[in-house]
Amino acid sequence: MRGGQGILFQQILVEDRPGSSIRAVVVNRLLPGCTVGLHTHHGEEDFYYCLSGEGVVVDNGTEHPFTPGTLQITRDGESQAVRNTGAQDLVLLAALVTVQKCA
Amino acid sequence: MRGGQGILFQQILVEDRPGSSIRAVVVNRLLPGCTVGLHTHHGEEDFYYCLSGEGVVVDNGTEHPFTPGTLQITRDGESQAVRNTGAQDLVLLAALVTVQKCA
């Protein structure tokens, strides 16, 4: 995903609909060794909430441990990536939200 | 909370900021017997994702089991409530998101 490597399973919980700012809410399951490649968000924000497993998240250039209970949010114009550094699956909830389009 | 009963602990993970559609992301921990009272959302959407425990969520008038992995989303103009029906704490992630304000 996003130019990363390895295997990821995605469960889609919420999809886009007109008028909503919520573009998607998914649960991503990264198998051991899997990464979500570095990517930048434009006109939207994205947060990852760790449900289980152990990884590292890159938040606009800075690495942080990513373990259950951690939330990482990427703001408009910022970049993110995540990798599973453990022996188990890394499972996270991700929510993609459009910024307010008018002033 | 919202006219409900019992004890709830809230951990605030994300707060409002100008330009963002995300008003808040929190983790709510409802102790046994705790309820979040029935309330309607206007100009915003709210989703609850169950992290642990066992409860019932009321989604615009319809009751559903609320157990780990369940996501319930309340759309603009709809109502929601939740109650802990188990012997353990009911823990959920909640995200409140403003709808797109312009056409």
Side-chain angles (χ1 to χ4, degrees):
Chain A
M1 175 175 283
R2 304 280 197 174
Q5 56 191 35
I7 298 173
L8 177 154
F9 296 100
Q10 184 173 85
Q11 176 194 20
I12 299 172
L13 298 176
V14 179
E15 294 182 289
D16 202 6
R17 65 161 67 174
S20 174
S21 301
I22 301 173
R23 291 197 53 199
V25 183
V26 302
V27 172
N28 288 330
R29 174 179 290 270
L30 284 67
L31 269 53
C34 176
T35 64
V36 174
L38 188 66
H39 60 279
T40 301
H41 286 284
H42 299 287
E44 59 193 23
E45 300 177 312
D46 194 22
F47 71 79
Y48 291 160
Y49 181 82
C50 184
L51 298 172
S52 68
E54 184 177 350
V56 170
V57 66
V58 189
D59 177 37
N60 210 34
T62 303
E63 295 201 348
H64 300 274
F66 190 64
T67 53
T70 303
L71 184 140
Q72 177 274 326
I73 183 162
T74 301
R75 299 293 188 176
D76 185 15
E78 296 184 349
S79 65
Q80 79 189 143
V82 65
R83 58 184 187 268
N84 182 350
T85 57
Q88 312 299 323
D89 294 349
L90 175 64
V91 186
L92 60 96
L93 181 89
L96 187 61
V97 180
T98 312
V99 297
Q100 288 295 303
K101 293 266 180 62
C102 45
Chain B
M1 175 174 283
R2 305 278 197 173
Q5 58 191 34
I7 298 172
L8 178 153
F9 296 100
Q10 184 173 85
Q11 177 193 18
I12 299 173
L13 298 176
V14 178
E15 294 182 289
D16 202 5
R17 65 162 66 175
S20 174
S21 300
I22 300 174
R23 290 196 55 199
V25 183
V26 302
V27 171
N28 288 330
R29 174 179 290 271
L30 285 67
L31 268 54
C34 176
T35 65
V36 174
L38 188 68
H39 59 279
T40 301
H41 286 285
H42 300 286
E44 58 193 22
E45 300 177 312
D46 195 21
F47 72 78
Y48 291 160
Y49 181 81
C50 183
L51 298 172
S52 66
E54 184 178 348
V56 170
V57 66
V58 188
D59 178 34
N60 209 33
T62 303
E63 296 200 347
H64 300 274
F66 190 66
T67 52
T70 303
L71 184 141
Q72 178 272 327
I73 183 162
T74 300
R75 298 293 187 175
D76 186 16
E78 296 183 349
S79 65
Q80 79 190 143
V82 66
R83 58 184 188 267
N84 182 351
T85 56
Q88 311 300 323
D89 294 350
L90 175 65
V91 188
L92 60 95
L93 181 89
L96 186 62
V97 180
T98 312
V99 297
Q100 287 295 302
K101 295 266 179 64
C102 44

